[in-house]
Amino acid sequence: MASLANTIRAASLVGVTALAAAGPAFAGVTPTPAPVLAAGAPALAVFGAGYYLIRRMRRR
């Protein structure tokens, strides 16, 4: 049961982070250039790695 809760929590974190990173890209009415859309990918990777490391340290 705890594994399912952790999976749901991780998926929620990824979803919220992706929406927060991509939100400014969809704010304008004009078409958004590709570099602005791709700027959220590194941020998502950094947040994911940090979350993984924090969870890993707490388990020990």
Side-chain angles (χ1 to χ4, degrees), residues 4-48:
L4 179 62
N6 287 339
T7 303
I8 292 171
R9 186 177 297 142
S12 299
L13 177 68
V14 169
V16 169
T17 304
L19 288 176
F26 296 115
V29 178
T30 59
T32 307
V36 174
L37 289 175
L44 184 61
V46 168
F47 288 135

